[in-house]
Structure formats: structure tokens, C-alpha cells
Amino acid sequence: MIEEKIKWQEVIEILIWNFMGVGMVWLLSTGLSQIIVEKSVGIVALREESAIKTFLGSIFCGILMWIATIGASKIENKVVSSLLTIGCVMAFVLAGFPHSIADSFYFLAGNGRWDIWLIEVVGNAFGANLIGLLVKE
């Protein structure tokens, strides 16, 4: 079982740096394409439709991201490890599960509600920590 405490300062720093990176991409893309804005508004509308659905989907995304990172890092065969990571990312994208970092771009471009984005952050963290607690090291 994982015995490390969550380092909240690191989590917040990671969120800030990721958000800044996404923000720079958003700034570079503003005005380039109305299609990007329209698609972003559509994705944000899906997330805002149901906070519970967004939270539950975020939990599943967190579980998949834990498997893609921590789980894959435990596999010695790099081909299998890479395929597991790619498979998990494909699964969350195809299932439409909310990923807070990826969705931060859509919330910027689509002028989304940030309380819904925070629900994604909490759901992703909960899912990743839940599976981390259940899997014995």
C-alpha cells in the first residue's frame, strides 16, 4: 500500500504549471480559429450539463491515468509499458472522461464555469489516489 502522504504543495504547483502551459497555448491560438472556440464551447457544455456525471467520469479518468503512469512504470518491458499507457489514454479520450489538465484549454477557450473544472480536478485526484490505495506495491 502507498504510505506516502499527499504533498499538496507539489500538487498545487503541478496544477499551476500545467495551467500556465495550457494558457500559453490558448493565448497563441486565440483568434486563429473560430472552430476551436465553437468546439470548446460544446465540450464545456457537456461538462456543465451534470456535475455528478463530470465528477464520476473524472474519477474513472484518474484511475486510468494512474494505470498509465504508475502502473506502466512497474512493467519492465518498455513496449508493453508504452502500449498500456497509450491504451489508457485512448480509453479515457474515447470514453469522454474529463481530464482536468486537457479540459483547462476548453474551459479557457469556451469560457467555462471554473467550479465545474475544479470538480474535474478533485475527481481526477480522487480516482488516482483511490486506485493507488487499493494496489499493493
Side-chain angles (χ1 to χ4, degrees):
M1 200 174 264
I2 297 175
E3 296 193 17
E4 286 185 39
K5 290 185 178 180
I6 297 171
K7 298 174 184 167
W8 289 107
Q9 182 178 353
E10 286 182 25
V11 171
I12 292 169
E13 286 175 13
I14 290 167
L15 272 174
I16 289 169
W17 283 108
N18 274 290
F19 190 78
M20 287 172 53
V22 169
M24 285 190 280
V25 171
W26 173 73
L27 284 172
L28 292 171
S29 68
T30 38
L32 295 179
S33 174
Q34 186 59 31
I35 294 171
I36 291 173
V37 174
E38 290 169 8
K39 297 290 183 187
S40 297
V41 167
I43 291 169
V44 167
L46 285 173
R47 301 294 189 245
E48 292 177 347
E49 193 175 273
S50 169
I52 292 171
K53 183 178 173 185
T54 296
F55 181 67
L56 292 174
S58 297
I59 291 172
F60 287 117
C61 181
I63 290 169
L64 286 169
M65 291 304 92
W66 187 93
I67 294 168
T69 55
I70 307 302
S73 72
K74 308 273 184 225
I75 298 172
E76 288 186 31
N77 185 316
K78 295 301 176 194
V79 172
V80 174
S81 175
S82 296
L83 289 174
L84 179 62
T85 299
I86 292 167
C88 287
V89 172
M90 287 174 56
F92 97 76
V93 170
L94 292 172
F97 294 151
H99 186 287
S100 57
I101 302 305
D103 280 3
S104 60
F105 177 87
Y106 304 127
F107 277 83
L108 280 169
N111 199 22
R113 288 181 32 211
W114 292 101
D115 57 328
I116 300 296
W117 180 76
L118 287 173
I119 288 171
E120 288 186 18
V121 171
V122 172
N124 288 163
F126 182 79
N129 283 290
L130 175 68
I131 192 77
L133 291 171
L134 296 176
V135 173
K136 293 186 179 188
E137 297 279 330

